[in-house]
Amino acid sequence: MIVLKAAQEKVLSALQAVSGIVERRHTLPILANVLIRKTGGQIELTTSDLEIQVRTTVELGGDDANFATTVGSRKMIDILRALPADQVVSLSAAQNKLTLQGGKSRFTLQTLPADDFPLVQEAADFGPMFSVPQKVLKGLINQVHFAMAVHDIRYYLNGILFVAEGTSLTLVATDGHRLALAQATLDTEIPKQEVILPRKTVLELQRLLSDDKAGDNAIEMRFAGNQAKFSFSGMEFVTKLVEGKFPDYNRVIPKNHRNSVVLGRTALLASLQRAAILTSDKFKGVRVNIEPGVLRIASSNAEQEEAKEELEIDYGGDTIEIGFNVTYLMDALSNMSVDMVKLELQDTNSSVLITIPEQTGFKYVVMPMRI
């Protein structure tokens, strides 16, 4: 039977949408597969890693009969990528195998039974549904995702705190050395929620959400005790939540720093990138010296090589010399799209607060390091 028959780019786009969560290494061979379930003219593609499940429904031609199987998703994607974009491809099924055909190319792939595919058990008691524009959520994720921890033993740091209350939506990420907070005000009131989304879920949402005109379309969200469900652009995304208590982020954000300077983001980022060249791979420290009229950045390494940068600034506060992990500063600046940033400092031993002038919803805190 003909499972589907459509343009290569349409089939590839649908497969790529669901295949981001498929791990290259897996305990169950079937987790490398995509579940293809055909009901009449509609095809449902589903992938899972036992904690996250992504599903999309598309119309891709083919016969009207019902059919279900699973096949290796990466192999399918690699084959489709290698075929011309404007070519019509077909997928036909016979005797536990699928045949993918495009032009004079033909590929026969092994399948595993659809009944063996481990679907995520969805919670029975999802709370009320609420929605926000896709581009709003994607914008918030873009502003904080880089501050998430990676494989931290404090598992609640390996993700993003999602706080919804009234008309405010706040996302917070920290790895213990820095903290990023982004906040948006919504047009409608949303029910109170406070959950931790896993790192993998955050990165997948960042990849799939739209920030162009389609980003005005909403993403619908529902939360259960240990699960979240997102629906957007023909996709359904179910994920396990991280259990645990996220740190009190309000205590970490400095208040009343007496010194502040506003300067160009691009110039500061370029100076830091140049200074970073002569830091060592293990020790990414730079010295930042700020005094009236000038900001200096210096770095050195074990070979006694040195880099020095200087920026003219409009500043009349205290003279402060402070050390930072240069990567932490560059991460924040390179994920912004504004012209000017504001640095608020207290002394050598206090964290710096980076904000955006005229934009109260973003705060980024970096702890100093001894150099």
Side-chain angles (χ1 to χ4, degrees):
M1 71 165 288
I2 306 293
V3 181
L4 62 84
K5 190 170 185 179
Q8 174 266 8
E9 55 192 352
K10 194 172 179 185
V11 182
L12 179 59
S13 172
L15 263 174
Q16 284 177 322
V18 298
S19 294
I21 64 165
V22 176
E23 300 283 359
R24 295 200 179 273
R25 294 181 179 180
H26 27 70
T27 46
L28 292 171
I30 200 165
L31 291 178
N33 287 12
V34 56
L35 171 63
I36 302 172
R37 195 178 291 284
K38 183 172 173 61
T39 311
Q42 283 201 324
I43 286 189
E44 204 176 71
L45 301 173
T46 308
T47 55
S48 168
D49 70 355
L50 300 180
E51 296 196 345
I52 305 171
Q53 180 175 291
V54 184
R55 176 179 288 150
T56 186
T57 305
V58 280
E59 301 239 351
L60 294 172
D63 296 344
D64 282 340
N66 295 349
F67 173 75
T69 190
T70 79
V71 67
S73 68
R74 298 270 177 208
K75 281 182 195 163
M76 282 268 288
I77 285 172
D78 288 346
I79 292 167
L80 287 163
R81 274 188 184 140
L83 293 170
D86 56 353
Q87 194 169 73
V88 171
V89 297
S90 66
L91 194 65
S92 51
Q95 299 169 342
N96 299 333
K97 292 212 167 96
L98 285 179
T99 301
L100 180 62
Q101 204 160 348
K104 295 190 176 178
S105 304
R106 184 184 174 95
F107 304 86
T108 304
L109 300 167
Q110 194 68 47
T111 63
L112 289 170
D115 291 343
D116 294 349
F117 193 82
L119 293 169
V120 170
Q121 187 69 42
E122 289 189 27
D125 54 345
F126 277 106
M129 188 273 287
F130 63 97
S131 62
V132 299
Q134 286 186 46
K135 65 182 179 188
V136 170
L137 183 58
K138 182 164 185 171
L140 294 177
I141 291 173
N142 286 345
Q143 287 185 296
V144 303
H145 72 95
F146 52 85
M148 290 187 288
V150 185
H151 304 310
D152 197 296
I153 192 165
R154 298 162 295 179
Y155 53 89
Y156 48 84
L157 298 184
N158 301 318
I160 277 181
L161 179 68
F162 178 106
V163 184
E165 188 169 8
T167 57
S168 174
L169 179 59
T170 307
L171 266 57
V172 187
T174 179
D175 61 7
H177 304 286
R178 47 160 169 192
L179 178 143
L181 177 149
Q183 197 168 52
T185 303
L186 307 172
D187 297 334
T188 54
E189 291 229 354
I190 45 182
K192 185 170 182 182
Q193 304 286 346
E194 189 165 322
V195 299
I196 304 173
L197 300 175
R199 178 184 176 82
K200 190 172 175 182
T201 297
V202 171
L203 298 178
E204 202 56 20
L205 284 173
Q206 186 183 27
R207 183 178 79 87
L208 293 170
L209 290 171
S210 174
D211 54 6
D212 56 15
K213 280 190 176 177
D216 292 327
N217 297 333
I219 170 170
E220 296 178 348
M221 311 183 210
R222 297 180 72 190
F223 294 97
N226 64 343
Q227 229 175 39
K229 185 191 275 191
F230 305 101
S231 303
F232 57 97
S233 307
M235 310 272 299
E236 186 186 89
F237 195 107
V238 178
T239 175
K240 198 173 175 183
L241 296 171
V242 179
E243 294 178 31
K245 184 81 177 107
F246 201 83
D248 182 356
Y249 56 91
N250 285 312
R251 284 179 56 196
V252 177
I253 297 169
K255 313 275 192 301
N256 308 319
H257 272 0
R258 66 175 177 267
N259 301 292
S260 69
V261 58
V262 175
L263 68 167
R265 178 188 69 88
T266 310
L268 178 58
L269 177 58
S271 291
L272 289 166
Q273 286 169 331
R274 289 191 292 268
I277 295 167
L278 293 189
T279 58
S280 65
D281 289 340
K282 287 183 180 175
F283 183 74
K284 286 286 185 185
V286 294
R287 288 186 309 282
V288 176
N289 191 295
I290 186 166
E291 57 187 70
V294 66
L295 183 145
R296 295 187 180 90
I297 300 164
S299 66
S300 58
N301 59 27
E303 287 83 44
Q304 297 187 327
E305 297 169 324
E306 277 188 314
K308 290 185 177 176
E309 291 282 332
E310 204 168 284
L311 291 168
E312 288 184 14
I313 55 172
D314 182 10
Y315 176 73
D318 301 340
T319 297
I320 298 170
E321 184 172 301
I322 187 167
F324 291 111
N325 181 319
V326 69
T327 308
Y328 295 166
L329 297 177
M330 293 191 304
D331 280 349
L333 295 170
S334 56
N335 279 282
M336 295 178 187
S337 54
V338 294
D339 294 332
M340 309 299 285
V341 293
K342 183 178 184 182
L343 308 185
E344 295 183 38
L345 303 119
Q346 183 74 9
D347 52 42
T348 303
N349 302 312
S350 301
S351 299
V352 64
L353 173 63
I354 301 176
T355 55
I356 299 170
E358 283 88 53
Q359 195 177 317
T360 56
F362 175 77
K363 292 181 173 70
Y364 183 61
V365 182
V366 187
M367 288 175 67
M369 71 185 286
R370 292 184 185 279
I371 294 182

